[in-house]
């Protein structure tokens, strides 16, 4: 009965058009509708439904050039671009500013913290392949072994693994003595004897761990030299090349300690493979003069660019009394890329194995600066 009553209702009067004419209800003048689409200029037909509303806080697709159902669909690249936004302003995490920030403020880092962050970024950057840093000074006691350990520690701490400190002394070296001990005492000569295990595609990083010594918290490994004062023959240039070919499969950054004989084949081979030279010395006239004469030798042998790009590290004594530091700095600043000072550290001076966590803040900061200067040349 209700359906019948609904069907009996008279049709509604014609609906007025915008131009003053009338049309039957339920119909739409297509000519006028087309004109309105053209006038709107968006090509989207009006409908009897509620027009599209973007979600609260969302983005209207029409504003991006992709209205719903119209135009090309978004790509994965479009999705990924959402991350390309302005990074958050840095907030201090050190010193008094950090304490204040924990109360709810957002103070920026101070100058010292900003400098540390820049140095860490430099150390962490991608070098684009294997790099070798060689530390040199023909004089004993010039700080080569300490420099190797502290550079490897710093890069290991800030970058992670894949860092090797290699003692390339032609006879007995001290790198293994100043490093942390491992479950074995094998040296470079043991690896040289067993190189056949790594020929071709053979050998894995787990196999190499039988010959290198893990440094735990230092996040790097040590390949020690022969620790016998009398055993073994001098290493040749070809032996150095064969060893380097093997270790280069497992490490991205190699720090090479050198002996005191610039005429030794393995010393010369290390120079030929060097990407960044580090010249070390104590703040003494004899140590600096020996380093200067070595730079003369390198320049005379066609390695001028290696010398110009070198980083000079001067290890300071407990007192600056009776040292001619300005003369040392002036000479090596004129010959190498940078001259940096390493502060005195009692732990280093003791001759005991060096642990990164036992170093003073001043020493860690100084060697981070040195590491950043080295990384700049890689």
């Amino acid at each position: 009965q209700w359906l019948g009553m609904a069907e009996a209702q008279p049709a509604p009067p014609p609906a007025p058009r915008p131009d003053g004419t009338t049309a039957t209800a339920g119909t739409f003048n297509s000519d006028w509708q087309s004109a309105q689409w053209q006038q709107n200029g968006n090509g989207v037909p009006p409908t009897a439904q509620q027009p599209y509303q973007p979600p609260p806080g969302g983005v209207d697709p029409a504003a991006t050039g992709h209205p719903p159902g119209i135009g090309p669909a978004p790509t994965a690249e479009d999705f990924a671009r959402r991350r390309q936004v302005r990074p958050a302003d840095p907030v201090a995490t050190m010193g008094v500013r950090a304490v204040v920030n924990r109360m709810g403020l957002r103070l920026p880092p101070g100058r010292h913290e900003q400098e540390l962050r820049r140095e860490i970024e430099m150390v962490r950057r991608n070098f684009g392949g294997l790099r070798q840093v060689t530390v040199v000074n023909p004089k004993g006691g010039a700080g080569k072994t300490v420099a190797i350990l502290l550079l490897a520690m710093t890069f290991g701490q800030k970058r992670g693994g894949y860092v090797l400190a290699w003692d390339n002394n032609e006879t007995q070296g001290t790198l293994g003595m100043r490093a942390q001990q491992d479950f074995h005492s094998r040296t470079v000569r043991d690896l040289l004897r067993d190189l056949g295990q790594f020929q071709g595609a053979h050998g894995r990083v787990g196999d190499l761990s039988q010959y290198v010594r893990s440094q735990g918290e230092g996040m790097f490994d040590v390949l020690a030299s022969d620790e016998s004062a009398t055993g073994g023959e001098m290493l040749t240039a070809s032996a150095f090349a064969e060893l380097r070919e093997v270790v280069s499969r497992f490490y991205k950054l190699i720090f090479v300690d050198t002996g005191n004989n610039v005429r030794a084949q393995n010393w010369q081979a290390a120079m030929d493979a060097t990407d960044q030279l580090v010249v070390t010395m104590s703040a003494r006239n004899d140590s600096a003069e020996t380093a200067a004469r070595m730079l003369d030798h390198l320049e005379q042998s066609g390695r001028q660019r290696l010398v110009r790009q070198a980083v000079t590290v001067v290890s300071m004594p407990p007192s600056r009394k009776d040292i001619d530091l300005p003369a040392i700095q002036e000479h090596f600043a004129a010959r190498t890329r940078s001259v940096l000072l390493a502060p005195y550290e009692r732990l280093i001076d003791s001759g005991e194995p060096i642990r990164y966590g036992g170093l003073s803040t001043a020493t860690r900061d100084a060697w981070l600066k040195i590491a950043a200067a080295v990384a700049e040349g890689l």
Side-chain angles (χ1 to χ4, degrees):
Q1 181 180 3
W2 180 83
L3 290 174
M5 293 175 62
E7 292 174 353
Q9 294 296 324
R17 293 193 179 109
D19 58 2
T21 60
T22 59
T24 304
T27 66
F28 198 86
N29 186 292
S30 59
D31 294 336
W32 175 81
Q33 181 184 24
S34 300
Q36 289 301 305
W37 297 349
Q38 297 299 325
Q39 182 178 347
N40 292 342
N42 56 19
V44 180
T47 65
Q49 301 176 350
Q50 186 71 15
Y52 170 79
Q53 295 291 335
V59 177
D60 187 350
T64 65
H66 298 292
I70 303 296
T75 65
E77 187 65 25
D78 296 328
F79 181 74
R81 284 199 192 100
R82 80 193 194 284
R83 296 174 298 180
Q84 298 177 359
V85 297
R86 181 178 179 272
D89 292 331
V91 178
T93 59
M94 299 172 57
V96 176
R97 291 169 178 255
V99 175
V100 174
N101 283 344
R102 284 195 285 271
M103 300 176 183
L105 297 179
R106 292 183 61 84
L107 295 179
R111 180 179 301 177
H112 176 64
E113 185 175 353
Q114 290 178 25
E115 186 175 347
L116 289 178
R117 291 187 181 189
R118 285 193 297 269
E119 291 164 353
I120 292 173
E121 289 175 2
M122 180 64 72
V123 168
R124 287 179 176 173
R125 71 191 184 96
N126 188 352
F127 302 135
L130 172 70
R131 295 292 185 268
Q132 177 181 314
V133 177
T134 306
V135 180
V136 290
N137 188 328
K139 190 177 188 322
K144 296 188 297 292
T145 297
V146 168
I148 285 283
L149 286 171
L150 294 182
L151 283 171
M153 283 181 186
T154 304
F155 277 88
Q157 283 281 319
K158 304 307 179 185
R159 290 177 64 92
Y162 306 106
V163 176
L164 177 68
W166 172 5
D167 195 340
N168 186 43
N169 264 275
E170 59 272 13
T171 53
Q172 183 185 34
T174 58
L175 182 61
M177 301 176 189
R178 300 300 305 268
Q180 303 300 314
Q181 301 305 302
D182 206 341
F183 68 91
H184 69 82
S185 57
R186 295 185 184 92
T187 69
V188 66
R189 293 198 180 275
D190 296 293
L191 178 57
L192 186 61
R193 181 194 63 224
D194 298 337
L195 277 182
Q197 299 180 20
F198 297 89
Q199 288 180 349
H202 300 290
R204 298 167 296 181
V205 67
D207 301 326
L208 191 64
S209 65
Q210 303 176 57
Y211 303 94
V212 297
R213 305 177 188 182
S214 174
Q215 295 303 292
E217 65 168 354
M219 300 293 289
F220 71 103
D221 296 331
V222 164
L223 178 59
S225 70
D226 189 356
E227 293 169 345
S228 169
T230 57
E233 67 283 352
M234 301 284 281
L235 291 174
T236 63
S238 60
F240 177 87
E242 291 172 0
L243 289 164
R244 190 178 188 278
E245 193 280 326
V246 169
V247 298
S248 65
R249 301 182 202 169
F250 308 107
Y251 298 95
K252 297 179 180 179
L253 191 55
I254 300 174
F255 291 92
V256 176
D257 195 358
T258 55
N260 303 334
N261 182 5
V262 300
R263 297 184 179 90
Q265 288 190 30
N266 62 324
W267 196 96
Q268 293 290 331
M271 291 301 106
D272 291 337
T274 298
D275 297 294
Q276 174 64 58
L277 193 69
V278 176
V279 182
T280 64
M281 67 196 70
S282 61
R284 293 164 46 101
N285 182 69
D286 55 348
S287 184
E289 184 175 335
T290 304
R293 294 187 183 280
M294 179 203 62
L295 294 185
D296 290 345
H297 163 74
L298 290 175
E299 290 175 338
Q300 292 163 7
S301 60
R303 300 181 177 107
Q304 294 89 345
R305 184 178 181 278
L306 206 59
V307 172
R308 298 291 183 270
Q309 292 299 314
V311 172
T312 299
V313 180
V314 183
S315 298
M316 300 301 295
S319 171
R320 295 195 179 192
K321 184 180 179 181
D322 298 329
I323 65 172
D324 194 2
L325 183 60
I328 294 174
Q329 291 175 302
E330 181 181 357
H331 178 84
F332 288 93
R335 303 187 68 177
T336 62
R337 177 163 55 87
S338 61
V339 179
L340 297 167
L341 305 183
Y344 176 78
E345 174 73 55
R346 184 180 297 275
L347 173 64
I348 295 173
D349 203 28
S350 69
E352 294 297 317
I354 300 173
R355 292 186 180 275
Y356 188 80
L359 298 172
S360 67
T361 301
T363 294
R364 289 199 299 265
D365 289 352
W367 281 97
L368 176 59
K369 183 181 295 294
I370 296 169
V374 169
E376 187 177 355
L378 296 177

